[in-house]
Amino acid sequence: QVQIVESGGGLVQPGGSLRLFCAASTSILSPYIMGWYRQAPGKPREFVARCTNSGNCTYADSVKGRFTISRDNAKNTVYLQMNSLKPEDTAVYYCNVRHFIDYWGQGTPVTVSS
């Protein structure tokens, strides 16, 4: 069983920054993948960024160069540093832990608006 807690969302102006935090409480020593997805109103959930437990990190094209994901295997935590935010980044951001099956956090909302 995996319990996920997220934090860090909020309201920010275009061009601003936010840092999302996710912690997974689990007996799994180092889940295979930890990452982030997002879901904007009226749209399907989409991949944002993820890291494997070996340190291989990948990003959606829409966030490359603006977002940075970092993972601490010892603590089962993952951060998402979001810079140069755009209105189209507005969404609920979900932490994902994948270890044979997917586990999801409750989501943290991010609103980019002036």
Side-chain angles (χ1 to χ4, degrees), residues 15-71:
S17 298
L18 282 175
R19 192 184 193 204
L20 305 184
F21 171 76
C22 169
S25 298
T26 175
S27 60
I28 301 170
L29 186 60
S30 182
Y32 176 51
I33 289 176
M34 294 186 71
W36 295 91
Y37 284 70
R38 68 186 181 186
Q39 187 167 19
K43 294 186 177 181
R45 192 172 297 189
E46 65 175 6
F47 165 73
V48 176
R50 69 178 191 182
C51 289
T52 68
N53 54 9
S54 62
N56 182 31
C57 299
T58 56
Y59 297 87
D61 288 343
S62 60
V63 306
K64 280 181 182 177
R66 301 188 298 121
F67 291 11
T68 302
I69 188 170
S70 57
R71 175 175 174 173

